[in-house]
Amino acid sequence: MADSSFDIVSKVERQEVDNALNQAAKELSQRYDFKGTGASIAWSGEKILMEANSEDRVKAVLDVFETKLVKRGISLKALDAGEPQLSGKEYKIFASIQEGISQENAKKVAKMIRDEGPKGVKAQVQGDELRVSSKSRDDLQAVQALLKGKDLDFAIQFVNYR
């Protein structure tokens, strides 16, 4: 019997992020507490730019955006938001969406699977994803349960389960 396998990836649906951003922008334009604060959120190249006239307001913009991401099923671990910076009279926060598993994180996860996972499970790094294979499907499900239980500092999804 051939090995069963699945891939561990860290991907974010760009359209869902876009939808969350548009919902946050709409909420900012309608909420009374954001009136006259110059609060805005928009794409700036590959980054997301949040602006407001005070540090508290720009943090509130970030909070609204995070709420919309969670409602759309996007892990906040994929969002890398910087600190508020004063630029002229405006405070700005730049945020980016992290995609792909870095080599060092992939190695950490592979080591975790080797050390704590069932015997006979193989993990190999393939670019920015990790392929996990085993003869037993039960072992693969045990690996998924193990990784879901760990508090990793990046978002992961399981795809191509065969």
Side-chain angles (χ1 to χ4, degrees):
M1 187 173 120
D3 282 3
S4 299
S5 69
F6 68 89
D7 294 336
I8 300 173
V9 297
S10 181
K11 290 198 178 356
V12 176
E13 190 73 37
R14 172 84 179 201
Q15 186 61 49
E16 290 295 329
V17 175
D18 211 31
N19 290 343
L21 187 122
N22 290 336
Q23 286 178 338
K26 185 174 181 181
E27 185 170 323
L28 294 178
S29 69
Q30 293 175 341
R31 271 182 40 181
Y32 178 76
D33 56 336
F34 284 110
K35 291 271 189 266
T37 62
S40 68
I41 182 170
W43 285 104
S44 174
E46 282 298 304
K47 292 189 179 277
I48 298 163
L49 172 64
M50 293 163 262
E51 294 179 306
N53 63 3
S54 75
E55 191 172 344
D56 291 342
R57 281 288 130 221
V58 80
K59 285 181 179 175
V61 171
L62 176 61
D63 187 51
V64 167
F65 182 54
E66 287 175 345
T67 304
K68 299 300 179 189
L69 285 175
V70 168
K71 281 187 180 173
R72 294 217 148 260
I74 297 170
S75 171
L76 292 182
K77 293 178 181 176
L79 180 70
D80 181 27
E83 289 299 310
Q85 302 165 341
L86 184 61
S87 173
K89 292 184 177 178
E90 296 279 306
Y91 280 87
K92 296 181 179 188
I93 294 179
F94 284 98
S96 59
I97 302 296
Q98 303 291 332
E99 285 199 291
I101 301 174
S102 70
Q103 288 292 328
E104 65 184 51
N105 284 338
K107 287 177 184 171
K108 277 187 209 167
V109 172
K111 183 175 179 353
M112 197 182 301
I113 291 169
R114 268 195 316 276
D115 294 347
E116 302 174 35
K119 297 288 178 235
V121 175
K122 296 185 285 296
Q124 59 197 47
V125 179
Q126 295 181 333
D128 62 352
E129 56 186 48
L130 195 68
R131 164 107 2 120
V132 180
S133 57
S134 172
K135 294 211 179 301
S136 164
R137 286 180 171 243
D138 291 342
D139 287 350
L140 292 180
Q141 288 176 335
V143 168
Q144 286 183 352
L146 169 79
L147 293 176
K148 284 179 183 171
K150 295 290 180 187
D151 185 28
L152 302 171
D153 54 351
F154 53 96
I156 59 170
Q157 294 87 31
F158 306 111
V159 296
N160 295 337
Y161 189 77
R162 19 177 157 29

